[in-house]
Amino acid sequence: MAQAQSTRARLAIPIHGILGAYPLVCFTAALITDLAYADTAEMQWANFSVWLIAGGVAMGVIAAIAGVVDAMVTRARRQARSWHSVLTIIMLITAIINGFIHSRDAWTSVVPSGLVLSVITSILALVTSWLGYSAAALPRTEAA
């Protein structure tokens, strides 16, 4: 029984970490395409942004599910995990709002509110990724 829990604990960690990298990349890439749109006014950059935001939200939800499974299988310091969880929820809500802003037509889909939300979402993605990595590096104990 103890070996089965240990095996589950080892398998849950990398899956959440791998999936958690996708929102960071998608939201950061959306910020870059927003900057390109603000510079060129080429609508395809705004289209790229909305798809990157949608992909980041989808992968963020999948990563959150993997994180909940990880939290149920293993235990670490709750404070590090709770900040990671709260900021992840805020990041996903901000990204969803950003996706709706980006679905508008023309210049106002990105400049200024979409660009500001992309900056906020990218910063939150960076912070939550860092906190998630820090929580994963903490010593873990097996669930009783």
Side-chain angles (χ1 to χ4, degrees):
M1 179 75 168
Q3 185 175 357
Q5 288 177 341
S6 177
T7 302
R8 279 186 283 163
R10 283 194 308 264
L11 292 176
I13 297 166
I15 294 170
H16 175 63
I18 291 168
L19 294 174
Y22 284 93
L24 174 63
V25 171
C26 287
F27 295 148
T28 304
L31 173 61
I32 292 168
T33 57
D34 280 350
L35 292 170
Y37 176 75
D39 187 46
T40 64
E42 179 65 40
M43 195 61 195
Q44 192 61 34
W45 289 116
N47 294 337
F48 289 151
S49 293
V50 76
W51 281 106
L52 286 164
I53 292 166
V57 168
M59 292 306 291
V61 169
I62 294 170
I65 292 168
V68 169
V69 170
D70 181 31
M72 291 187 328
V73 172
T74 61
R75 288 185 285 162
R77 289 189 210 148
R78 289 182 184 240
Q79 184 177 7
R81 284 187 176 216
S82 64
W83 277 110
H84 173 67
S85 301
V86 168
L87 289 176
T88 298
I89 292 168
I90 293 170
M91 175 193 70
L92 289 174
I93 291 169
T94 305
I96 290 168
I97 294 168
N98 195 17
F100 284 126
I101 297 286
H102 275 76
S103 67
R104 296 188 292 192
D105 288 335
W107 184 257
T108 59
S109 68
V110 177
V111 179
S113 54
L115 187 58
V116 170
L117 283 172
S118 288
V119 168
I120 293 169
T121 305
S122 295
I123 291 170
L124 285 170
L126 181 64
V127 170
T128 57
S129 296
W130 177 61
L131 289 173
Y133 176 77
S134 298
L138 295 173
R140 294 175 173 261
T141 59
E142 293 179 20

